[in-house]
């Protein structure tokens, strides 16, 4: 009979001029099967099997189930049937673009197989629709139900990648009214699934999962994967009450958080209406969790309202026993959204600024000790909790820290009261570290200053202008300008 094999171009990319091409190569299983004239009768399966089975673009073999373990020739586990035979007397005959079909049980009982294909060129974050036609068998034995396991996983191989979508598809048995030739009436149904790409690669697979004892399995035809929804910049746009990294939502340890809302927008700043979103809490070290239904998981599922808000009721989020920062991230249809919600167990860190302090100081080579430092200010309500401070010397400028009964950092408040903190000189002798420093910023608008002692070495480059670097909490600033002179 005439060949059903399409050109390589058509089988790989779908019909010419298709603006949304099929990413499955040879979704109609036409690119290599050869059928003999005696393999076209309506009353028999076209079980090429073994060395006579060829699929150019598809992987195939044993399903991996107990009754489909690989071992023989991969072609023993599937049959390829031609279009005329597969769709005779079927309403689907004109809807499947001349597709051949796969029988996922090959050369008899115990030969349950799979077909699969690596999909490439996916757009990360985009949604793809998977469509295929399936039918139960109609020859060799009485009609019976079959089950097919459909799956899409991230990556280039069938096993081991992150699951993107999967389902056990139960195929109804064929009708018992026969057609000419003695086989049962064909009944085909189109199925549609979808997945979100997590990388440029995914693996599509169909495996027979019919119970043992049958010599025929699920029939599969006309497989396609096409882009259905482009990548969207769905994101967390804010909270109510408002929060930020500098002003996180907070609760004392071992107490519940108050009610708050999280808003989600798309790339056009339109709200995500009535979407199922899952919030994820990190890190876990604080012991905090979402609480609902008597459980204490680290995720919280909810649905956005018409303006894109997802409400987390009071008491749903529980603060744990350890103080510290946390974040909430969100997932929509298996994809991580942009943005985060900042939280804190314990008092929220008040905002403050750090800037170079005072007038320039002059250091002469091998001369006197001077005290460059920084100015601090807070414009937030409430006090600033103790901070870790690191002070670093400039590279190659010939300066060193001076120990005055130990390496010290002095903080002076707005009323000229001073407190000295002992620090640790790091092994490279280039940095001093001070833990638990009270910045003396106890109210909105408060100011203070902090300084350390330094000298210039005999070989310090001069004349030269330089400065120390102060890291105060998450703020960084240069110190007072230091003018190094030869003397």
């Amino acid at each position: 009979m005439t060949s059903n094999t399409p050109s390589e171009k058509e089988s790989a990319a779908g019909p010419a001029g298709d603006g949304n091409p099929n990413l499955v190569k040879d979704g109609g299983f036409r690119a290599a099967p050869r059928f003999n004239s005696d393999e076209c009768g309506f009353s028999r399966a076209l079980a090429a099997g073994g060395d006579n089975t060829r699929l150019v673009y598809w992987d195939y073999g044993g399903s991996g189930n107990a009754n489909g373990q690989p071992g023989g020739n991969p072609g023993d586990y599937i049959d390829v049937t031609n279009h005329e035979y597969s769709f005779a007397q079927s309403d689907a005959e004109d809807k499947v673009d001349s597709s051949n079909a796969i029988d996922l049980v090959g050369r008899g009982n115990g030969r349950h197989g799979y077909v699969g294909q690596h999909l490439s060129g996916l757009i990360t974050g985009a949604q793809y629709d998977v469509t295929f036609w399936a039918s139960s068998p109609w020859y060799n034995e009485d009609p019976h139900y079959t089950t097919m396991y459909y799956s899409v996983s991230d990556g280039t191989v069938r096993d081991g990648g992150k699951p993107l979508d999967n389902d056990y598809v139960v195929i109804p048995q064929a009708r018992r009214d026969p057609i000419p030739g003695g086989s049962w009436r064909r009944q085909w149904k189109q199925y549609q699934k979808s997945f979100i790409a997590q990388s440029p690669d995914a693996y599509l697979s169909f495996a027979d999962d019919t119970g043992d004892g049958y010599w025929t399995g699920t029939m599969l035809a006309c497989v396609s994967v096409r882009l259905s929804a482009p990548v969207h910049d769905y994101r967390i746009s804010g909270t109510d009450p408002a929060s930020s990294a500098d002003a996180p939502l907070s609760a004392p340890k071992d107490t519940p958080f108050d009610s708050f809302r999280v808003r989600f927008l798309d790339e056009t700043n339109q709200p995500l209406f009535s979407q199922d979103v899952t919030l994820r809490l990190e890190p876990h070290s604080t012991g905090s969790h979402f609480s609902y239904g008597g459980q204490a998981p680290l995720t919280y599922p909810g649905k956005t309202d018409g303006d894109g808000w997802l409400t987390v009721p009071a008491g749903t989020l529980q603060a744990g026993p350890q103080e510290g920062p946390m974040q909430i991230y969100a997932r929509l249809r298996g994809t991580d959204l942009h943005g985060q919600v900042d939280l804190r167990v314990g008092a929220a860190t008040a905002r403050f600024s750090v800037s170079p302090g005072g007038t320039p100081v002059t250091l002469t080579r091998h001369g006197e000790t001077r005290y460059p430092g920084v100015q601090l200010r807070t414009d937030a309500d409430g006090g600033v909790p103790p901070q870790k401070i690191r002070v670093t010397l400039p590279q190659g400028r010939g300066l060193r820290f001076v120990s005055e009964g130990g390496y010290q950092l002095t903080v002076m408040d707005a009323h000229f009261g001073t407190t000295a903190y002992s620090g640790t000189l790091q092994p490279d002798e280039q940095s001093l570290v001070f833990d638990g420093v009270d910045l003396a910023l106890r109210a909105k608008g408060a100011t203070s200053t902090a300084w350390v002692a330094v000298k210039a070495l005999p070989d310090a480059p001069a004349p030269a202008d330089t400065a120390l670097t102060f890291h105060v909490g998450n703020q960084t600033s240069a110190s007072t300008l230091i003018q190094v002179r030869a003397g």
Side-chain angles (χ1 to χ4, degrees):
M1 64 182 292
T2 58
S3 171
N4 290 310
T5 304
S7 68
E8 182 175 345
K9 178 179 179 181
E10 180 180 352
S11 66
D18 189 349
N20 188 8
N22 181 9
L23 300 185
V24 174
K25 298 179 181 179
D26 188 28
F29 307 108
R30 295 181 290 166
R34 298 185 302 273
F35 303 107
N36 300 322
S37 59
D38 63 347
E39 293 177 324
C40 300
F42 290 156
S43 61
R44 59 172 294 181
L46 303 179
D51 293 335
N52 204 28
T53 298
R54 294 287 186 272
L55 293 176
V56 175
Y57 298 105
W58 292 86
D59 304 322
Y60 52 95
S63 66
N65 299 331
N67 52 5
Q69 294 295 336
N73 189 300
D76 289 348
Y77 296 89
I78 63 170
D79 295 333
V80 184
T81 66
N82 70 18
H83 177 81
E84 291 84 351
Y85 175 78
S86 303
F87 293 94
Q89 302 293 314
S90 167
D91 293 339
E93 186 171 6
D94 297 327
K95 303 175 183 178
V96 291
D97 191 28
S98 301
S99 177
N100 292 326
I102 295 293
D103 177 357
L104 288 174
V105 173
R107 305 184 76 175
N109 185 23
R111 292 292 190 269
H112 295 243
Y114 88 97
V115 292
Q117 187 173 133
H118 166 214
L119 308 174
S120 61
L122 304 178
I123 303 170
T124 301
Q127 178 175 308
Y128 290 84
D129 285 340
V130 182
T131 59
F132 54 90
W133 289 77
S135 175
S136 57
W138 49 76
Y139 47 80
N140 289 347
E141 53 195 345
D142 284 344
H144 59 88
Y145 289 86
T146 64
T147 303
M148 178 177 67
Y149 181 63
Y150 144 82
S151 67
V152 182
S153 58
D154 187 42
T156 62
V157 295
R158 181 184 175 200
D159 298 316
K162 176 183 178 182
L164 303 180
D165 191 38
N166 55 69
D167 192 16
Y168 285 93
V169 183
V170 178
I171 313 298
Q173 66 183 23
R175 288 166 50 183
R176 288 183 173 271
D177 50 320
I179 64 171
S183 61
W184 306 110
R185 182 75 59 182
R186 285 103 166 109
Q187 290 191 104
W188 285 87
K189 178 182 176 181
Q190 187 178 42
Y191 296 82
Q192 180 169 310
K193 308 292 183 179
S194 65
F195 67 93
I196 304 294
Q198 300 294 300
S199 73
D201 299 285
Y203 195 90
L204 172 68
S205 177
F206 302 90
D208 190 78
D209 198 62
T210 305
D212 207 358
Y214 294 106
W215 288 62
T216 51
T218 301
M219 307 295 294
L220 175 70
C222 203
V223 182
S224 70
V225 174
R226 298 178 188 273
L227 180 68
S228 62
V231 180
H232 290 288
D233 182 20
Y234 297 149
R235 66 190 186 280
I236 296 173
S237 67
T239 62
D240 178 26
S243 63
S244 66
D246 291 330
L249 301 173
S250 62
K253 61 182 182 180
D254 295 319
T255 61
F257 278 76
D258 290 334
S259 174
F260 62 93
R261 300 191 299 167
V262 184
R263 198 179 194 202
F264 299 91
L265 301 179
D266 66 15
E267 66 277 7
T268 64
N269 291 322
Q270 296 301 306
L272 296 188
F273 167 72
S274 190
Q275 295 292 321
D276 292 314
V277 177
T278 298
L279 304 181
R280 182 182 79 251
L281 188 63
E282 293 184 0
H284 307 165
S285 60
T286 59
S288 299
H289 54 262
F290 293 109
S291 298
Y292 54 93
Q295 302 296 316
L298 290 161
T299 60
Y300 177 75
K303 186 180 290 289
T304 60
D305 62 19
D307 290 323
W309 290 100
L310 186 156
T311 299
V312 181
T316 300
L317 180 61
Q318 301 285 328
Q322 179 181 339
E323 295 189 351
M326 301 183 299
Q327 288 80 38
I328 286 177
Y329 299 91
R331 289 178 67 83
L332 172 65
R333 295 194 292 274
T335 301
D336 290 328
L337 305 188
H338 296 140
Q340 66 184 42
V341 179
D342 292 283
L343 308 122
R344 185 174 181 84
V345 175
T349 303
R351 290 169 292 177
F352 63 90
S353 61
V354 185
S355 59
T359 57
V361 298
T362 301
L363 293 176
T364 57
R365 291 173 174 171
H366 204 47
E368 64 280 9
T369 298
R370 290 288 185 262
Y371 303 92
V374 291
Q375 294 180 334
L376 304 118
R377 178 184 177 90
T378 180
D379 291 317
D381 293 326
V384 176
Q387 302 290 315
K388 179 178 181 177
I389 296 179
R390 176 187 288 268
V391 185
T392 304
L393 297 172
Q395 288 287 336
R397 294 298 183 174
L399 304 185
R400 69 175 176 86
F401 294 113
V402 177
S403 175
E404 297 179 324
Y407 295 101
Q408 295 184 341
L409 176 135
T410 302
V411 176
M412 184 174 70
D413 63 25
H415 303 289
F416 305 105
T418 60
T419 303
Y421 295 87
S422 296
T424 302
L425 183 65
Q426 300 304 289
D428 63 1
E429 299 186 350
Q430 294 299 298
S431 296
L432 289 174
V433 175
F434 304 86
D435 291 312
V437 177
D438 183 351
L439 302 183
L441 301 176
R442 295 180 174 80
K444 185 175 183 179
T447 61
S448 61
T449 55
W451 62 79
V452 295
V454 295
K455 295 184 70 171
L457 298 173
D459 58 351
D465 292 344
T466 188
L468 310 179
T469 301
F470 278 70
H471 303 274
V472 184
N474 59 2
Q475 305 289 324
T476 301
S477 174
S479 72
T480 311
L481 178 66
I482 300 172
Q483 299 172 329
V484 181
R485 300 292 182 259

